[in-house]
Amino acid sequence: MRGGTELGRVRGLGSAKAGAHHWLTHRITAASNLFLMLWFVIAVARLPGYDYATVRPWLASAWVAVPMILLIVSVFWHFRLGLQVVIEDYVHAETRVALMFALNFFVVATSAIAIFSILKVAFTAAAGVPA
Amino acid sequence: MTVSILHRVTGSGMATVGTLLLVWWLAAIAGGPQSYAVFHMVFAEFGKGVLGYIFGIGLTLSFFQHMASGIRHFILDTGAGYELNSAKRAANATFIFSVLATIAFWAFLLGAK
């Protein structure tokens, strides 16, 4: 154990005072995921096909594009919190820090690509842009 | 015990593999017919769509299992269901639900097309 005063030894080892917020946000996004993912699974199952001509106008509809963006925010936020718990439980020291960086970059980058893609499809549908 | 570990495994699997596939799918639609053709080739045409079935069934089974044990977590959060028998029964119910829901999903999907 490193030296110093008793106070110096325990400093930085306590609660970050963010645990309750993390826990609650995990539950709130779990509830919104439940509705959004059930919608998504049913909507995808009900599609008449999965070719480009079917899928693109489907995604371009406001009734699909908006819930899809909400799904991306809710689900990605939820998995960001969940993977953090998994990383904190099984990975330690420097590797943990590196994985947390990677997790944050991953969730931000993938959600940006997803939301941009949805908006691009939705906003170019009515303009007659060649699909 | 098993349900708890499966909750993490299915969650981590969907968060990584599921995320990449969903984002690929959305980006392929946004990218136009040629980029969608690549996605369609990989998951619907290659080997009669074997990759589509492997990832599709894996992800739907993971989703229904994660959803069922997530709902179980909501109930446990209220402080209920910790008695050995009811905990065991609820744990088994999540497996039965996820398998049946996955079968129902794919039966509907393949039957409707």
Side-chain angles (χ1 to χ4, degrees), chain B residues 1-7 10 61 64-65 68-69 72 88-102:
Chain B
M1 184 76 178
T2 315
V3 179
S4 177
I5 289 167
L6 268 180
H7 196 72
T10 54
L61 186 59
F64 288 122
Q65 177 60 38
S69 60
R72 180 170 174 265
K88 182 94 192 142
R89 241 181 296 127
N92 287 333
T94 66
F95 296 132
I96 295 164
F97 169 81
S98 63
V99 171
L100 290 181
T102 306

PDB file of all heavy atoms in Angstrom, chain B residues 1-7 10 61 64-65 68-69 72 88-102:
ATOM      1  N   MET B   1     -28.964 -17.591 -11.769  1.00  0.00           N
ATOM      2  CA  MET B   1     -27.530 -17.547 -12.110  1.00  0.00           C
ATOM      3  C   MET B   1     -27.349 -17.569 -13.623  1.00  0.00           C
ATOM      4  O   MET B   1     -26.798 -16.659 -14.220  1.00  0.00           O
ATOM      5  CB  MET B   1     -26.836 -18.763 -11.467  1.00  0.00           C
ATOM      6  CG  MET B   1     -25.341 -18.798 -11.649  1.00  0.00           C
ATOM      7  SD  MET B   1     -24.488 -17.626 -10.559  1.00  0.00           S
ATOM      8  CE  MET B   1     -22.793 -17.999 -10.993  1.00  0.00           C
ATOM      9  N   THR B   2     -27.884 -18.610 -14.259  1.00  0.00           N
ATOM     10  CA  THR B   2     -27.764 -18.721 -15.717  1.00  0.00           C
ATOM     11  C   THR B   2     -28.465 -17.569 -16.411  1.00  0.00           C
ATOM     12  O   THR B   2     -27.954 -17.003 -17.376  1.00  0.00           O
ATOM     13  CB  THR B   2     -28.380 -20.052 -16.195  1.00  0.00           C
ATOM     14  OG1 THR B   2     -27.919 -21.074 -15.312  1.00  0.00           O
ATOM     15  CG2 THR B   2     -27.945 -20.392 -17.592  1.00  0.00           C
ATOM     16  N   VAL B   3     -29.654 -17.215 -15.913  1.00  0.00           N
ATOM     17  CA  VAL B   3     -30.425 -16.127 -16.522  1.00  0.00           C
ATOM     18  C   VAL B   3     -29.655 -14.819 -16.415  1.00  0.00           C
ATOM     19  O   VAL B   3     -29.597 -14.027 -17.350  1.00  0.00           O
ATOM     20  CB  VAL B   3     -31.802 -15.989 -15.847  1.00  0.00           C
ATOM     21  CG1 VAL B   3     -32.589 -14.846 -16.462  1.00  0.00           C
ATOM     22  CG2 VAL B   3     -32.584 -17.274 -15.987  1.00  0.00           C
ATOM     23  N   SER B   4     -29.042 -14.611 -15.253  1.00  0.00           N
ATOM     24  CA  SER B   4     -28.294 -13.377 -15.025  1.00  0.00           C
ATOM     25  C   SER B   4     -27.116 -13.278 -15.980  1.00  0.00           C
ATOM     26  O   SER B   4     -26.873 -12.223 -16.579  1.00  0.00           O
ATOM     27  CB  SER B   4     -27.806 -13.348 -13.573  1.00  0.00           C
ATOM     28  OG  SER B   4     -27.022 -12.211 -13.356  1.00  0.00           O
ATOM     29  N   ILE B   5     -26.377 -14.383 -16.146  1.00  0.00           N
ATOM     30  CA  ILE B   5     -25.226 -14.371 -17.054  1.00  0.00           C
ATOM     31  C   ILE B   5     -25.708 -14.205 -18.495  1.00  0.00           C
ATOM     32  O   ILE B   5     -25.139 -13.430 -19.263  1.00  0.00           O
ATOM     33  CB  ILE B   5     -24.404 -15.670 -16.878  1.00  0.00           C
ATOM     34  CG1 ILE B   5     -23.679 -15.633 -15.529  1.00  0.00           C
ATOM     35  CG2 ILE B   5     -23.402 -15.838 -18.016  1.00  0.00           C
ATOM     36  CD1 ILE B   5     -23.096 -16.945 -15.097  1.00  0.00           C
ATOM     37  N   LEU B   6     -26.806 -14.912 -18.825  1.00  0.00           N
ATOM     38  CA  LEU B   6     -27.337 -14.784 -20.190  1.00  0.00           C
ATOM     39  C   LEU B   6     -27.795 -13.361 -20.488  1.00  0.00           C
ATOM     40  O   LEU B   6     -27.711 -12.900 -21.617  1.00  0.00           O
ATOM     41  CB  LEU B   6     -28.512 -15.755 -20.381  1.00  0.00           C
ATOM     42  CG  LEU B   6     -28.151 -17.122 -20.948  1.00  0.00           C
ATOM     43  CD1 LEU B   6     -29.404 -17.977 -21.077  1.00  0.00           C
ATOM     44  CD2 LEU B   6     -27.455 -16.999 -22.304  1.00  0.00           C
ATOM     45  N   HIS B   7     -28.279 -12.656 -19.450  1.00  0.00           N
ATOM     46  CA  HIS B   7     -28.698 -11.271 -19.648  1.00  0.00           C
ATOM     47  C   HIS B   7     -27.509 -10.436 -20.124  1.00  0.00           C
ATOM     48  O   HIS B   7     -27.621  -9.620 -21.021  1.00  0.00           O
ATOM     49  CB  HIS B   7     -29.267 -10.711 -18.339  1.00  0.00           C
ATOM     50  CG  HIS B   7     -30.049  -9.453 -18.533  1.00  0.00           C
ATOM     51  ND1 HIS B   7     -31.281  -9.439 -19.120  1.00  0.00           N
ATOM     52  CD2 HIS B   7     -29.764  -8.157 -18.232  1.00  0.00           C
ATOM     53  CE1 HIS B   7     -31.731  -8.185 -19.166  1.00  0.00           C
ATOM     54  NE2 HIS B   7     -30.824  -7.387 -18.641  1.00  0.00           N
ATOM     55  N   THR B  10     -26.362 -11.846 -23.794  1.00  0.00           N
ATOM     56  CA  THR B  10     -27.240 -11.405 -24.875  1.00  0.00           C
ATOM     57  C   THR B  10     -27.156  -9.889 -25.048  1.00  0.00           C
ATOM     58  O   THR B  10     -27.145  -9.388 -26.168  1.00  0.00           O
ATOM     59  CB  THR B  10     -28.701 -11.817 -24.605  1.00  0.00           C
ATOM     60  OG1 THR B  10     -29.083 -11.339 -23.312  1.00  0.00           O
ATOM     61  CG2 THR B  10     -28.879 -13.313 -24.663  1.00  0.00           C
ATOM     62  N   LEU B  61     -33.381 -14.372 -30.866  1.00  0.00           N
ATOM     63  CA  LEU B  61     -33.372 -15.164 -29.624  1.00  0.00           C
ATOM     64  C   LEU B  61     -32.750 -14.345 -28.490  1.00  0.00           C
ATOM     65  O   LEU B  61     -33.265 -14.313 -27.367  1.00  0.00           O
ATOM     66  CB  LEU B  61     -32.599 -16.467 -29.845  1.00  0.00           C
ATOM     67  CG  LEU B  61     -32.602 -17.484 -28.699  1.00  0.00           C
ATOM     68  CD1 LEU B  61     -34.026 -17.908 -28.339  1.00  0.00           C
ATOM     69  CD2 LEU B  61     -31.786 -18.719 -29.065  1.00  0.00           C
ATOM     70  N   PHE B  64     -35.344 -11.580 -27.385  1.00  0.00           N
ATOM     71  CA  PHE B  64     -36.469 -12.044 -26.570  1.00  0.00           C
ATOM     72  C   PHE B  64     -35.997 -12.510 -25.189  1.00  0.00           C
ATOM     73  O   PHE B  64     -36.682 -12.299 -24.189  1.00  0.00           O
ATOM     74  CB  PHE B  64     -37.234 -13.156 -27.294  1.00  0.00           C
ATOM     75  CG  PHE B  64     -38.042 -12.648 -28.460  1.00  0.00           C
ATOM     76  CD1 PHE B  64     -37.831 -13.131 -29.740  1.00  0.00           C
ATOM     77  CD2 PHE B  64     -39.011 -11.668 -28.267  1.00  0.00           C
ATOM     78  CE1 PHE B  64     -38.584 -12.653 -30.810  1.00  0.00           C
ATOM     79  CE2 PHE B  64     -39.762 -11.188 -29.332  1.00  0.00           C
ATOM     80  CZ  PHE B  64     -39.552 -11.676 -30.605  1.00  0.00           C
ATOM     81  N   GLN B  65     -34.803 -13.143 -25.140  1.00  0.00           N
ATOM     82  CA  GLN B  65     -34.274 -13.564 -23.837  1.00  0.00           C
ATOM     83  C   GLN B  65     -33.947 -12.349 -22.974  1.00  0.00           C
ATOM     84  O   GLN B  65     -34.283 -12.284 -21.793  1.00  0.00           O
ATOM     85  CB  GLN B  65     -33.029 -14.441 -24.043  1.00  0.00           C
ATOM     86  CG  GLN B  65     -32.346 -14.888 -22.757  1.00  0.00           C
ATOM     87  CD  GLN B  65     -33.264 -15.716 -21.863  1.00  0.00           C
ATOM     88  OE1 GLN B  65     -34.050 -16.522 -22.343  1.00  0.00           O
ATOM     89  NE2 GLN B  65     -33.176 -15.505 -20.566  1.00  0.00           N
ATOM     90  N   ALA B  68     -37.179 -10.698 -21.790  1.00  0.00           N
ATOM     91  CA  ALA B  68     -37.864 -11.432 -20.721  1.00  0.00           C
ATOM     92  C   ALA B  68     -37.113 -11.292 -19.400  1.00  0.00           C
ATOM     93  O   ALA B  68     -37.722 -11.045 -18.352  1.00  0.00           O
ATOM     94  CB  ALA B  68     -38.002 -12.910 -21.113  1.00  0.00           C
ATOM     95  N   SER B  69     -35.784 -11.427 -19.432  1.00  0.00           N
ATOM     96  CA  SER B  69     -35.069 -11.320 -18.154  1.00  0.00           C
ATOM     97  C   SER B  69     -34.997  -9.862 -17.709  1.00  0.00           C
ATOM     98  O   SER B  69     -34.862  -9.584 -16.523  1.00  0.00           O
ATOM     99  CB  SER B  69     -33.685 -11.976 -18.217  1.00  0.00           C
ATOM    100  OG  SER B  69     -32.871 -11.388 -19.184  1.00  0.00           O
ATOM    101  N   ARG B  72     -38.093  -9.443 -15.872  1.00  0.00           N
ATOM    102  CA  ARG B  72     -37.886 -10.104 -14.579  1.00  0.00           C
ATOM    103  C   ARG B  72     -37.104  -9.189 -13.630  1.00  0.00           C
ATOM    104  O   ARG B  72     -37.399  -9.109 -12.436  1.00  0.00           O
ATOM    105  CB  ARG B  72     -37.135 -11.417 -14.804  1.00  0.00           C
ATOM    106  CG  ARG B  72     -36.845 -12.200 -13.553  1.00  0.00           C
ATOM    107  CD  ARG B  72     -36.329 -13.589 -13.886  1.00  0.00           C
ATOM    108  NE  ARG B  72     -35.904 -14.297 -12.680  1.00  0.00           N
ATOM    109  CZ  ARG B  72     -34.643 -14.314 -12.245  1.00  0.00           C
ATOM    110  NH1 ARG B  72     -33.706 -13.681 -12.893  1.00  0.00           N
ATOM    111  NH2 ARG B  72     -34.335 -14.981 -11.143  1.00  0.00           N
ATOM    112  N   LYS B  88     -36.882 -19.354  -9.308  1.00  0.00           N
ATOM    113  CA  LYS B  88     -36.568 -20.435 -10.242  1.00  0.00           C
ATOM    114  C   LYS B  88     -37.607 -20.497 -11.363  1.00  0.00           C
ATOM    115  O   LYS B  88     -37.272 -20.636 -12.541  1.00  0.00           O
ATOM    116  CB  LYS B  88     -36.537 -21.760  -9.458  1.00  0.00           C
ATOM    117  CG  LYS B  88     -36.179 -22.979 -10.270  1.00  0.00           C
ATOM    118  CD  LYS B  88     -34.673 -23.273 -10.199  1.00  0.00           C
ATOM    119  CE  LYS B  88     -34.289 -24.306 -11.252  1.00  0.00           C
ATOM    120  NZ  LYS B  88     -32.991 -24.021 -11.868  1.00  0.00           N
ATOM    121  N   ARG B  89     -38.871 -20.374 -10.975  1.00  0.00           N
ATOM    122  CA  ARG B  89     -39.947 -20.455 -11.958  1.00  0.00           C
ATOM    123  C   ARG B  89     -39.872 -19.303 -12.959  1.00  0.00           C
ATOM    124  O   ARG B  89     -40.008 -19.498 -14.159  1.00  0.00           O
ATOM    125  CB  ARG B  89     -41.313 -20.465 -11.261  1.00  0.00           C
ATOM    126  CG  ARG B  89     -42.120 -21.726 -11.541  1.00  0.00           C
ATOM    127  CD  ARG B  89     -43.479 -21.715 -10.854  1.00  0.00           C
ATOM    128  NE  ARG B  89     -43.360 -21.715  -9.393  1.00  0.00           N
ATOM    129  CZ  ARG B  89     -43.937 -20.836  -8.585  1.00  0.00           C
ATOM    130  NH1 ARG B  89     -44.666 -19.862  -9.090  1.00  0.00           N
ATOM    131  NH2 ARG B  89     -43.794 -20.921  -7.290  1.00  0.00           N
ATOM    132  N   ALA B  90     -39.623 -18.094 -12.436  1.00  0.00           N
ATOM    133  CA  ALA B  90     -39.534 -16.925 -13.321  1.00  0.00           C
ATOM    134  C   ALA B  90     -38.334 -17.054 -14.259  1.00  0.00           C
ATOM    135  O   ALA B  90     -38.398 -16.684 -15.432  1.00  0.00           O
ATOM    136  CB  ALA B  90     -39.422 -15.650 -12.491  1.00  0.00           C
ATOM    137  N   ALA B  91     -37.228 -17.615 -13.735  1.00  0.00           N
ATOM    138  CA  ALA B  91     -36.030 -17.803 -14.560  1.00  0.00           C
ATOM    139  C   ALA B  91     -36.333 -18.752 -15.713  1.00  0.00           C
ATOM    140  O   ALA B  91     -36.003 -18.483 -16.866  1.00  0.00           O
ATOM    141  CB  ALA B  91     -34.882 -18.327 -13.699  1.00  0.00           C
ATOM    142  N   ASN B  92     -36.996 -19.883 -15.389  1.00  0.00           N
ATOM    143  CA  ASN B  92     -37.348 -20.840 -16.441  1.00  0.00           C
ATOM    144  C   ASN B  92     -38.329 -20.239 -17.430  1.00  0.00           C
ATOM    145  O   ASN B  92     -38.250 -20.524 -18.635  1.00  0.00           O
ATOM    146  CB  ASN B  92     -37.954 -22.108 -15.820  1.00  0.00           C
ATOM    147  CG  ASN B  92     -36.887 -22.941 -15.131  1.00  0.00           C
ATOM    148  OD1 ASN B  92     -35.718 -22.884 -15.499  1.00  0.00           O
ATOM    149  ND2 ASN B  92     -37.281 -23.689 -14.121  1.00  0.00           N
ATOM    150  N   ALA B  93     -39.228 -19.396 -16.933  1.00  0.00           N
ATOM    151  CA  ALA B  93     -40.228 -18.784 -17.819  1.00  0.00           C
ATOM    152  C   ALA B  93     -39.554 -17.922 -18.876  1.00  0.00           C
ATOM    153  O   ALA B  93     -40.035 -17.845 -20.010  1.00  0.00           O
ATOM    154  CB  ALA B  93     -41.213 -17.959 -16.994  1.00  0.00           C
ATOM    155  N   THR B  94     -38.415 -17.279 -18.528  1.00  0.00           N
ATOM    156  CA  THR B  94     -37.741 -16.430 -19.520  1.00  0.00           C
ATOM    157  C   THR B  94     -37.221 -17.284 -20.682  1.00  0.00           C
ATOM    158  O   THR B  94     -37.277 -16.861 -21.828  1.00  0.00           O
ATOM    159  CB  THR B  94     -36.566 -15.640 -18.909  1.00  0.00           C
ATOM    160  OG1 THR B  94     -35.532 -16.530 -18.512  1.00  0.00           O
ATOM    161  CG2 THR B  94     -37.017 -14.795 -17.725  1.00  0.00           C
ATOM    162  N   PHE B  95     -36.730 -18.512 -20.373  1.00  0.00           N
ATOM    163  CA  PHE B  95     -36.230 -19.385 -21.448  1.00  0.00           C
ATOM    164  C   PHE B  95     -37.376 -19.832 -22.344  1.00  0.00           C
ATOM    165  O   PHE B  95     -37.269 -19.822 -23.566  1.00  0.00           O
ATOM    166  CB  PHE B  95     -35.548 -20.629 -20.868  1.00  0.00           C
ATOM    167  CG  PHE B  95     -34.321 -20.326 -20.074  1.00  0.00           C
ATOM    168  CD1 PHE B  95     -34.133 -20.895 -18.821  1.00  0.00           C
ATOM    169  CD2 PHE B  95     -33.344 -19.462 -20.558  1.00  0.00           C
ATOM    170  CE1 PHE B  95     -33.004 -20.612 -18.079  1.00  0.00           C
ATOM    171  CE2 PHE B  95     -32.212 -19.171 -19.821  1.00  0.00           C
ATOM    172  CZ  PHE B  95     -32.049 -19.750 -18.580  1.00  0.00           C
ATOM    173  N   ILE B  96     -38.476 -20.258 -21.695  1.00  0.00           N
ATOM    174  CA  ILE B  96     -39.623 -20.745 -22.472  1.00  0.00           C
ATOM    175  C   ILE B  96     -40.141 -19.629 -23.362  1.00  0.00           C
ATOM    176  O   ILE B  96     -40.401 -19.822 -24.548  1.00  0.00           O
ATOM    177  CB  ILE B  96     -40.722 -21.264 -21.506  1.00  0.00           C
ATOM    178  CG1 ILE B  96     -40.203 -22.491 -20.745  1.00  0.00           C
ATOM    179  CG2 ILE B  96     -42.003 -21.606 -22.276  1.00  0.00           C
ATOM    180  CD1 ILE B  96     -41.013 -22.860 -19.532  1.00  0.00           C
ATOM    181  N   PHE B  97     -40.251 -18.420 -22.795  1.00  0.00           N
ATOM    182  CA  PHE B  97     -40.754 -17.293 -23.576  1.00  0.00           C
ATOM    183  C   PHE B  97     -39.846 -17.001 -24.762  1.00  0.00           C
ATOM    184  O   PHE B  97     -40.307 -16.835 -25.889  1.00  0.00           O
ATOM    185  CB  PHE B  97     -40.880 -16.038 -22.709  1.00  0.00           C
ATOM    186  CG  PHE B  97     -41.151 -14.796 -23.524  1.00  0.00           C
ATOM    187  CD1 PHE B  97     -42.433 -14.512 -23.960  1.00  0.00           C
ATOM    188  CD2 PHE B  97     -40.113 -13.930 -23.881  1.00  0.00           C
ATOM    189  CE1 PHE B  97     -42.685 -13.392 -24.737  1.00  0.00           C
ATOM    190  CE2 PHE B  97     -40.353 -12.809 -24.662  1.00  0.00           C
ATOM    191  CZ  PHE B  97     -41.640 -12.541 -25.099  1.00  0.00           C
ATOM    192  N   SER B  98     -38.524 -16.922 -24.519  1.00  0.00           N
ATOM    193  CA  SER B  98     -37.633 -16.499 -25.602  1.00  0.00           C
ATOM    194  C   SER B  98     -37.619 -17.510 -26.735  1.00  0.00           C
ATOM    195  O   SER B  98     -37.610 -17.133 -27.909  1.00  0.00           O
ATOM    196  CB  SER B  98     -36.216 -16.236 -25.072  1.00  0.00           C
ATOM    197  OG  SER B  98     -35.646 -17.401 -24.554  1.00  0.00           O
ATOM    198  N   VAL B  99     -37.660 -18.807 -26.410  1.00  0.00           N
ATOM    199  CA  VAL B  99     -37.667 -19.828 -27.468  1.00  0.00           C
ATOM    200  C   VAL B  99     -38.975 -19.777 -28.246  1.00  0.00           C
ATOM    201  O   VAL B  99     -38.984 -19.757 -29.487  1.00  0.00           O
ATOM    202  CB  VAL B  99     -37.428 -21.231 -26.859  1.00  0.00           C
ATOM    203  CG1 VAL B  99     -37.659 -22.313 -27.906  1.00  0.00           C
ATOM    204  CG2 VAL B  99     -36.012 -21.328 -26.304  1.00  0.00           C
ATOM    205  N   LEU B 100     -40.104 -19.704 -27.528  1.00  0.00           N
ATOM    206  CA  LEU B 100     -41.405 -19.664 -28.203  1.00  0.00           C
ATOM    207  C   LEU B 100     -41.557 -18.398 -29.044  1.00  0.00           C
ATOM    208  O   LEU B 100     -42.041 -18.444 -30.180  1.00  0.00           O
ATOM    209  CB  LEU B 100     -42.543 -19.758 -27.179  1.00  0.00           C
ATOM    210  CG  LEU B 100     -42.722 -21.114 -26.490  1.00  0.00           C
ATOM    211  CD1 LEU B 100     -43.896 -21.078 -25.519  1.00  0.00           C
ATOM    212  CD2 LEU B 100     -42.914 -22.228 -27.513  1.00  0.00           C
ATOM    213  N   ALA B 101     -41.132 -17.251 -28.513  1.00  0.00           N
ATOM    214  CA  ALA B 101     -41.271 -15.986 -29.242  1.00  0.00           C
ATOM    215  C   ALA B 101     -40.406 -16.008 -30.498  1.00  0.00           C
ATOM    216  O   ALA B 101     -40.815 -15.508 -31.553  1.00  0.00           O
ATOM    217  CB  ALA B 101     -40.892 -14.811 -28.345  1.00  0.00           C
ATOM    218  N   THR B 102     -39.204 -16.593 -30.394  1.00  0.00           N
ATOM    219  CA  THR B 102     -38.324 -16.677 -31.556  1.00  0.00           C
ATOM    220  C   THR B 102     -38.948 -17.569 -32.634  1.00  0.00           C
ATOM    221  O   THR B 102     -38.941 -17.213 -33.820  1.00  0.00           O
ATOM    222  CB  THR B 102     -36.937 -17.220 -31.153  1.00  0.00           C
ATOM    223  OG1 THR B 102     -36.426 -16.406 -30.096  1.00  0.00           O
ATOM    224  CG2 THR B 102     -35.974 -17.187 -32.325  1.00  0.00           C
TER     225      THR B 102
END
